[in-house]
Amino acid sequence: MAYFVDVLLPLPLKNTFTYSINETESRFLTLGMRISVPFGKNKLVTGIVLKIHETAPLIYEAKEIDTIIDDHPLVLQSQLKFWHWVATYYMCHLGDVFKASLPSILLLQGETIIKKRNNDENLNPDVTDDEFLLLEALQFKSSLKIEEVSKILNKKNVLPIIKSLFEKQLITVDEYVEEKYTPKIEKNVILNPNIEETQLPEILDSLKNAPKQRDVLLQFFNLKARLNHIKSNTLLKEAKATSPSLKALVKKEILSLENNQVDRVLFSSTESSEIITLSPAQENAFNEINTNFNSKEVCLLHGITASGKTEIYIKLIEKQLAEKKQVLFLVPEIALSTQLINRLQVYFGDHLVVYHSKYSANERVEAYNAILKNKDKAQLIIGVRSSLFLPFSHLGLIIIDESHESSYKQHDPAPRYHGRDTAIALGSLSNAKVLLGSATPSIETYHNATSGKYGLVQLNKRYKGYLLPEINLIDLKIKQKKRLMKGHFSDTLREAIEECLLLKEQIIIFQNKRGFSSIQDCTTCGYIPQCVHCDVSLTYHKYTKQLRCHYCGYQIAEQTICRSCGSDKLSTKGFGTEQIEEELKGLFPKASISRMDKDTTRGKYGVQKIINQFKEKEIDILVGTQMIAKGFDFENVTLVGVMNADSQLFFPDYRAQERTYQLLSQVSGRAGRSNKKGLVLIQTYNTLHQILQQVTVSDYKTMYKEQLMERKQHHYAPFVRMIRFTLKHRDFNKVNEASDWFAKALRQGFQENVLGPEYPSIARVRNQYNKNILLKIPRSYDLKKVKTFIRKQQTSFESIKLYSGVRIIIHVDHI
């Protein structure tokens, strides 16, 4: 009898593929195991077993599988169910979800290996110089990889040379899959088991002529009294000795070395006298959340900044861990996880698992395995949106901190999901409760809460009775007219900074744009350097002396003369964090000033280093982008300065005003988080704008009502569902024609609900022209039928040869 498996590959393909297996393999394999399978001509790919059956494929002959990689399933059935939901809802391929879900190191790829064939010496046809060089290399090394051949021949395309030698029967070409995950091995020192305690004085006496070895042995006994495991490098460091001394003791069979596999990311509880005591307002909120969870799956905790939401989270986590459940704690950015991990480690260190992209590939594998293999252990998992795809088996609670944040949205590559909404779906599939925490919830979330779909808990008092900061607007028009500006700083902001520095208090300066200036232009002819791949000007970075594109990474050296007219009269326009940092150093030379943006936090510990320095008061003024606006708790910060509130306020997006309110409220919340009242100074040219007025009095509800009314009037979320289609191609005309065809096809089913096609504000990115179509779907429509219709039109579109190569990117619930 023939046996077959359906295999899911981590590729953007519509179908699974069927492979043949023998009877023994069919008995061993279970769903969710990894196997390597041949795909294409000479390629091995890692796949996941989805089904084991006895039905042969109809349209092709099933190939045999190559290797069974796992002894146990790496992917749980609950995960596969969740993957199907993500692929269906966000209209992407299941292979896309598979690729996003596992650490990349677990998606093993085939490696092509070239070996020399053992031919008779007489059978040696003529070879070219490159072929001879490759054969010579194989004389000294039994096998070579493709990249090694490329280096030897100093050529990028070596496949024709390999093919020629293969046809001449001089080499063999094989494929194999190599396990890329390498466990961390720690060398521990132990006393030789054959030595008894009575022998120790005699052994020490024998080492009189080897003082270094004697010191190592004495230090070993000192450490043994304090530590369970003595690492070899720790022993040598404490004894101030070198490895030959230790090796000599091992050779004399006094000490032994043993290799132990250890986790790279290991947390343990740290001693703390701090006991979480909830205030009456927090206690009331905690009880309300639990009451809401009796009848609702999702609850919104709407708590103002510094109201003590984290203390409530800790109490909820304690309750779940006591029931041996898993808790997923989502944060929008890695920067936020740093301070949170330090805080939660005190209480839950032994249960803590952290998962995000700043971890190495091996560290992510160990975090994945820690969750997969500890099915009965209570765990707290902290991570960003990608943590949703971890192998949860007993999830009890999902906490989504700063749930309004746009960082929860995955834009590229597919699946293009929203972390908040996907977490709610995961909670539903896992029978887990979901808590959304925010001081400024998104309009959709607050609408769901006030309409009864979600539970709603309000927390309107700051923790320990701390006062809300005073928020003042500074009119830049008046300040410039009266010549009270120095650089980009008004006299009011400068005086406030000076006063804080005298009182030894800390300051945060917010400017939501990195770099030195937006553009560098020629004052003679007006030429502005542009990106060669995108329709944007290059941002000037003075620190690195570069002009850089923030969309594709293209960069050129700082310009000293105009490329167009040769003039040396160049100037800059606009300003970013670099320029603000430079101006502050000129205004306050004695202050310690640092900058926190994408450029200064590239390393693994870049964010943590700056946060720790600021917390330890080594930095007086911290300049930053929106990275510093979210969730941080610095007790000594009493002043927050916003350099320009207008840049985001007039952005061409229906969410611009909501996001401006959220951002300014969040950054304002960093001030006065102790018994010192905070001050927030917002520089703007539009002091009378309703959003800025609402920020000054923290009037979220008025902002919500006004924005909701506008959205209802103009048919935006939450009153309609929205799907955005972006068509991409290098050919401008092809994108135009293709987008017109696709919009016309959509209008057959949705008439006036189809908007566009229109070019976005930046039409060309990475040498690809983009054109958008927006579909507004009334709530009365059946979403499944809508997506089925879209899929049919997409299939028809892909069958048109004229539009081949035009990609359609789909964003469901366009945010």
Side-chain angles (χ1 to χ4, degrees), residues 24 130 185 206 214 276 336 373 382 386 409 430 514 549 552 554 601 604 675 690 723 772:
T24 307
D130 285 334
I185 302 299
S206 69
R214 196 170 188 273
I276 293 290
L336 267 181
K373 293 175 182 177
I382 299 175
S386 57
K409 170 68 176 172
S430 308
R514 61 191 173 103
C549 175
C552 70
Y554 171 77
T601 56
K604 182 176 180 180
N675 51 11
Q690 61 185 22
I723 300 178
N772 294 333

Side-chain angles (χ1 to χ4, degrees), residues 173-314:
V173 180
D174 299 313
E175 282 275 323
Y176 84 105
V177 173
E178 181 181 33
E179 177 67 72
K180 293 180 182 178
Y181 168 64
T182 51
K184 184 179 179 181
I185 302 299
E186 197 174 75
K187 284 189 177 180
N188 289 338
V189 184
I190 59 170
L191 188 67
N192 192 314
N194 298 323
I195 292 177
E196 297 178 6
E197 284 189 26
T198 53
Q199 296 175 272
L200 295 178
E202 185 183 337
I203 290 169
L204 287 168
D205 197 49
S206 69
L207 296 173
K208 280 183 180 178
N209 295 328
K212 282 290 180 186
Q213 294 175 34
R214 196 170 188 273
D215 288 346
V216 170
L217 188 59
L218 287 169
Q219 192 60 49
F220 169 79
F221 291 120
N222 283 336
L223 292 172
K224 194 179 178 185
R226 295 185 284 115
L227 303 172
N228 294 326
H229 303 287
I230 302 168
K231 291 190 281 188
S232 58
N233 55 356
T234 303
L235 175 59
L236 293 173
K237 187 179 178 182
E238 292 291 324
K240 296 178 182 176
T242 54
S243 54
S245 302
L246 178 58
K247 285 178 182 175
L249 290 169
V250 172
K251 196 173 182 181
K252 291 175 182 177
E253 298 185 348
I254 299 169
L255 296 177
S256 296
L257 292 173
E258 62 176 15
N259 293 332
N260 291 331
Q261 183 176 329
V262 294
D263 288 339
R264 290 174 171 84
V265 185
L266 196 63
F267 295 93
S268 59
S269 295
T270 55
E271 300 223 349
S272 172
S273 57
E274 184 185 355
I275 299 172
I276 293 290
T277 306
L278 299 182
S279 68
Q282 288 174 315
E283 188 73 42
N284 186 49
F286 174 74
N287 292 331
E288 279 188 50
I289 290 167
N290 286 316
T291 303
N292 273 288
F293 280 155
N294 291 331
S295 58
K296 303 213 184 298
E297 300 300 310
V298 184
C299 182
L300 168 64
L301 174 58
H302 180 205
I304 61 172
T305 53
S307 58
K309 292 187 289 294
T310 307
E311 285 78 13
I312 297 172
Y313 297 156
I314 289 170

Side-chain angles (χ1 to χ4, degrees), residues 142-185:
S142 60
S143 63
L144 291 170
K145 296 178 183 179
I146 290 285
E147 59 265 30
E148 291 175 323
V149 174
S150 186
K151 286 179 183 177
I152 290 166
L153 302 181
N154 196 25
K155 288 187 175 182
K156 286 185 179 180
N157 186 11
V158 294
L159 294 179
I161 299 164
I162 293 168
K163 185 182 177 185
S164 174
L165 285 172
F166 180 77
E167 288 171 350
K168 292 172 183 176
Q169 298 187 356
L170 294 174
I171 61 170
T172 61
V173 180
D174 299 313
E175 282 275 323
Y176 84 105
V177 173
E178 181 181 33
E179 177 67 72
K180 293 180 182 178
Y181 168 64
T182 51
K184 184 179 179 181
I185 302 299

Side-chain angles (χ1 to χ4, degrees), residues 520-530 547 556-571:
Q520 187 183 50
D521 69 335
C522 173
T523 57
T524 304
C525 70
Y527 172 77
I528 298 171
Q530 301 284 313
L547 292 168
I556 59 174
E558 174 188 354
Q559 303 298 288
T560 53
I561 59 169
C562 176
R563 285 185 166 191
S564 179
C565 69
S567 170
D568 60 356
K569 294 179 180 177
L570 303 177
S571 69

Side-chain angles (χ1 to χ4, degrees), residues 540-814:
Y540 176 43
H541 289 254
K542 190 174 182 179
Y543 181 75
T544 55
K545 295 184 178 179
Q546 288 177 334
L547 292 168
R548 197 181 305 163
C549 175
H550 289 174
Y551 285 84
C552 70
Y554 171 77
Q555 58 190 38
I556 59 174
E558 174 188 354
Q559 303 298 288
T560 53
I561 59 169
C562 176
R563 285 185 166 191
S564 179
C565 69
S567 170
D568 60 356
K569 294 179 180 177
L570 303 177
S571 69
T572 59
K573 286 187 174 70
F575 62 98
T577 49
E578 272 188 34
Q579 191 170 159
I580 296 304
E581 182 187 22
E582 186 176 284
E583 286 182 11
L584 281 168
K585 286 178 178 177
L587 292 168
F588 308 101
K590 292 182 181 179
S592 172
I593 299 162
S594 191
R595 176 165 49 93
M596 185 172 166
D597 56 27
K598 195 175 178 181
D599 297 324
T600 61
T601 56
R602 291 189 184 278
K604 182 176 180 180
Y605 301 106
V607 173
Q608 191 172 340
K609 183 181 176 183
I610 294 171
I611 289 171
N612 289 342
Q613 286 176 338
F614 196 58
K615 196 170 185 179
E616 295 299 321
K617 302 177 184 177
E618 294 172 19
I619 299 169
D620 298 319
I621 306 174
L622 182 61
V623 181
T625 56
Q626 61 179 355
M627 290 175 76
I628 62 170
K630 308 163 189 172
F632 289 119
D633 190 359
F634 301 114
E635 290 185 356
N636 198 41
V637 173
T638 56
L639 175 64
V640 169
V642 178
M643 296 308 299
N644 189 348
D646 305 325
S647 57
Q648 190 160 335
L649 192 59
F650 299 105
F651 195 76
D653 185 344
Y654 78 99
R655 295 182 185 274
Q657 295 192 16
E658 175 197 1
R659 285 182 174 158
T660 300
Y661 181 92
Q662 289 168 340
L663 193 56
L664 293 178
S665 294
Q666 289 290 331
V667 76
S668 298
R670 300 316 108 209
R673 297 176 75 93
S674 64
N675 51 11
K676 303 170 186 174
K677 187 175 180 180
L679 174 64
V680 181
L681 297 175
I682 301 174
Q683 297 188 152
T684 175
Y685 289 97
N686 297 275
T687 54
L688 298 178
H689 197 286
Q690 61 185 22
I691 289 292
L692 299 182
Q693 290 293 326
Q694 288 156 5
V695 168
T696 59
V697 291
S698 302
D699 191 357
Y700 173 83
K701 288 185 179 177
T702 302
M703 184 278 297
Y704 164 74
K705 287 174 184 175
E706 289 179 357
Q707 292 300 308
L708 194 69
M709 194 182 299
E710 279 191 24
R711 292 193 188 186
K712 188 173 184 179
Q713 184 180 352
H714 298 291
H715 304 289
Y716 282 105
F719 300 103
V720 296
R721 296 181 184 275
M722 295 195 297
I723 300 178
R724 190 187 76 195
F725 305 89
T726 301
L727 284 81
K728 294 187 172 188
H729 197 270
R730 296 172 72 94
D731 188 319
F732 177 84
N733 293 324
K734 190 176 271 194
V735 168
N736 269 333
E737 292 170 18
S739 57
D740 287 341
W741 186 98
F742 195 68
K744 189 177 180 181
L746 289 175
R747 285 194 177 95
Q748 292 175 12
F750 306 111
Q751 290 84 36
E752 72 278 359
N753 294 317
V754 179
L755 304 182
E758 291 291 338
Y759 284 107
S761 54
I762 299 169
R764 183 175 62 107
V765 176
R766 297 178 188 270
N767 281 328
Q768 298 239 325
Y769 290 97
N770 301 328
K771 209 164 187 183
N772 294 333
I773 301 167
L774 184 63
L775 173 60
K776 293 182 176 180
I777 308 163
R779 290 279 171 179
S780 58
Y781 281 38
D782 184 326
L783 195 59
K784 285 185 179 178
K785 289 181 180 177
V786 167
K787 289 179 179 177
T788 301
F789 178 82
I790 292 169
R791 283 292 188 207
K792 283 182 180 177
Q793 302 307 319
Q794 191 177 1
T795 303
S796 300
F797 176 86
E798 288 168 354
S799 67
I800 301 171
K801 193 174 182 181
L802 180 66
Y803 304 141
S804 63
V806 179
R807 290 174 62 212
I808 298 179
I809 308 298
I810 302 175
H811 287 273
V812 178
D813 294 339
H814 163 56

